Each structure stands twice: as C-alpha cells, then as structure tokens.
Amino acid sequence: MQFYIMTLFPDMVMDGLNTSIIGRAVNKGLLSIEAVNIRDYAFNKHNSVDDYPYGGGAGMLMQAEPVYQCYKALAEKIENRPRVVYLSPQGKTFNQTMAEEFAKEEELVFLCGHYEGIDERVLEEIVTDYVSIGDYVLTGGELPAMIMVDAVSRLVPGVLHNDVSAEFESFQDNLLEYPQYSRPEIWHDKQVPPVLLSGHHVNIEKWRREQSVIRTAENRPDLLEKAELSEKEKELCEKILANQR
Ligand code: SAM
C-alpha cells in the first residue's frame, strides 16, 4: 500500500512513521510512505504558501495554487484518481471501520492543513474525504495523518507479525478488547485469572467474551447499541449500567 502525505512539515511525518512496526513494514516493502513538501510548489520568490483570508479574521490561510500543483505532481505518479483525505476538525470522525475501508485502497493521499486551514476552492477540486481525529483543534494535520497511516497500515496483510492480532481487537464487533496478561503469573500480589492458565480454549474464549462485554458496558456503553449480544449478555450490561446510574 502506498501513502502520500502532502504537508509543510515532511520531516515531522517521516520521523514519526519510520520507527517500530510501520518502519519495518516499509523496509520489507509492504508499505511505502512518501511525504511531499507543499512548499516546493510555492510560486513566489519568498517560498511562502500562506496569505491573509479575504473578509478578515485571525491567522493565515494556505493558498490554493501550491496545494493544487503539489497534488497534480502526485496525481501524475498514480495510475487512477487517488482518494485524497483532508485532515480537518470539520470532517467525519475517524474510527476502526473507516481504517478498514481505507486499507482496501492501493494508494491514499493525505492533505495536511496548517495555520487556519486551506483555501476552500482547492479542497473542492481535489479532496474526496474530510476526516477528523476528534472534536478538538490541532495546529496542523500532520499528527492526524500519522495516526491514520498507523491505524490503516496495521490492517495491511503482513504488517503485523501475526495477522490474527489485528482481527480480535477493540471495536471488532463493537466491543472493546478483553484484559490481557503476560508473565509472571503473580505480580504485586495480583494473580493472572486462573482460566487463562487452564489450557481450556473454550472456557478461555467464554471468559474473554464476557470480559469484553463488561469492559464495553463500563467504558463505552455507546458501542453496545450496535453490538450483537445474547440475552444473557444484554442482562449483564443492563446490570452494569444500572449500577453506574
Ligand atoms: N480553522 C480551522 C477550523 O476551525 O475548522 C482549523 C484549522 S487547524 C488550526 C489547522 C489544520 O490542522 C487543519 O487545516 C487540519 O488539517 C488540522 N487539524 C486540526 N485539528 C484537527 C482534527 N481534530 N482532526 C484532523 N485534522 C485537524
């Protein structure tokens, strides 16, 4: 899978993504990540890419032309019209379902805004998706782009050591993941739940499922609406929710 990130701060993006699991996947050729500097497409002698917003108001705005030229140079390298994701607090909130959908693409282009954002006219011409990472305002789209590249990359086959580890995780089936434990069996007087040491896979799965349901009811009851639950699980959730009221 190929990621292209249009940004004014390519080093920030590349430094952040070139480590650990994502960095190894790039070295193995499973992913390619290219940060493209929008400033290289500045059209004035000062290399500036921002200007005052018409109508007044605080801050500067990224101009349309450098962003458009940067996009055009990228689009020439990509066979089909790429999906262009503009990182914006005004977009749909990013979630695991969106990450799964993005992971089906062969190429993804991320456009990072800075200052007060980007001239609307170029957004209208090139952007296919407006995506936010949450209801707060950051200084730039670089961190959101890195978050999305990370979340999408780990769904690309081969990126995780064990492909199964991306399957049974939080938000799968609209439930949070169950608690996990590793060695030693006792730490700070806390014992690993005995069922996990029993070797009995059916019981382990039953315990994990129940823990997932409990965790979701306690921490993210909003997810339960879409989760498929048995009657017994629904009763368990109702009890937990009643205790929280
Ligand atoms: N003036 C804009 C507004 O009120 O909607 C906010 C601009 S913000 C200071 C600068 C850039 O940061 C945006 O263009 C966007 O690329 C990025 N950004 C800020 N918050 C974000 C968020 N929650 N999710 C995704 N991108 C964000």
Side-chain angles (χ1 to χ4, degrees), residues 63-96:
Q63 292 169 289
E65 187 61 12
V67 173
Y68 186 64
Q69 290 304 329
C70 179
Y71 165 77
K72 263 184 50 183
L74 259 185
E76 274 168 22
K77 291 205 254 180
I78 304 172
E79 218 172 282
N80 301 311
R81 189 182 174 204
R83 207 156 168 182
V84 179
V85 179
Y86 176 46
L87 292 319
S88 165
Q90 300 177 24
K92 284 195 192 138
T93 310
F94 188 60
N95 59 23
Q96 190 67 16

Side-chain angles (χ1 to χ4, degrees), residues 5-221:
I5 301 157
M6 297 164 64
T7 170
L8 293 175
F9 300 96
D11 291 347
M12 172 180 177
V13 173
M14 294 312 287
D15 288 350
L17 290 172
N18 258 336
T19 48
S20 184
I21 296 172
I22 307 299
R24 281 199 296 275
V26 170
N27 289 337
K28 277 198 229 158
L30 295 165
L31 307 172
S32 99
I33 305 173
E34 189 182 331
V36 190
N37 196 343
I38 297 170
R39 202 175 294 283
D40 290 347
Y41 299 87
F43 53 92
N44 57 39
K45 61 176 189 272
H46 305 293
N47 256 4
S48 72
V49 290
D50 57 316
D51 210 334
Y52 294 98
Y54 280 120
M60 304 294 274
L61 210 58
M62 285 170 68
Q63 292 169 289
E65 187 61 12
V67 173
Y68 186 64
Q69 290 304 329
C70 179
Y71 165 77
K72 263 184 50 183
L74 259 185
E76 274 168 22
K77 291 205 254 180
I78 304 172
E79 218 172 282
N80 301 311
R81 189 182 174 204
R83 207 156 168 182
V84 179
V85 179
Y86 176 46
L87 292 319
S88 165
Q90 300 177 24
K92 284 195 192 138
T93 310
F94 188 60
N95 59 23
Q96 190 67 16
T97 308
M98 229 186 260
E100 282 161 16
E101 196 202 313
F102 285 157
K104 293 181 192 146
E105 302 289 332
E106 280 178 21
E107 291 100 7
L108 265 184
V109 177
F110 291 98
L111 170 59
C112 306
H114 226 84
Y115 315 119
E116 280 314 306
I118 301 180
D119 188 311
E120 194 67 25
R121 292 165 297 181
V122 68
L123 300 178
E124 285 167 8
E125 287 204 14
I126 70 171
V127 172
T128 57
D129 301 79
Y130 292 75
V131 187
S132 164
I133 58 160
D135 290 346
Y136 40 82
V137 179
L138 302 164
T139 54
E142 285 71 19
L143 289 170
M146 287 156 71
I147 285 172
M148 289 183 208
V149 169
D150 188 298
V152 173
S153 294
R154 60 198 300 289
L155 300 173
V156 171
V159 169
L160 297 184
H161 282 313
N162 170 5
D163 278 347
V164 186
S165 54
E167 277 174 24
F168 300 100
E169 280 187 314
S170 295
F171 309 111
Q172 194 73 33
D173 300 329
N174 289 294
L175 292 174
L176 301 181
E177 196 184 55
Y178 43 81
Q180 304 232 54
Y181 306 85
S182 184
R183 280 191 288 187
E185 273 181 44
I186 299 172
W187 180 83
H188 281 200
D189 289 338
K190 291 169 195 247
Q191 162 84 49
V192 171
V195 64
L196 298 179
L197 310 173
S198 68
H200 194 300
H201 294 293
V202 175
N203 286 352
I204 291 173
E205 283 317 306
K206 260 171 73 182
W207 181 86
R208 285 181 165 167
R209 168 83 189 182
E210 188 180 68
Q211 292 298 315
S212 277
V213 172
I214 293 172
R215 227 165 223 209
T216 311
E218 284 174 349
N219 299 340
R220 289 291 307 274

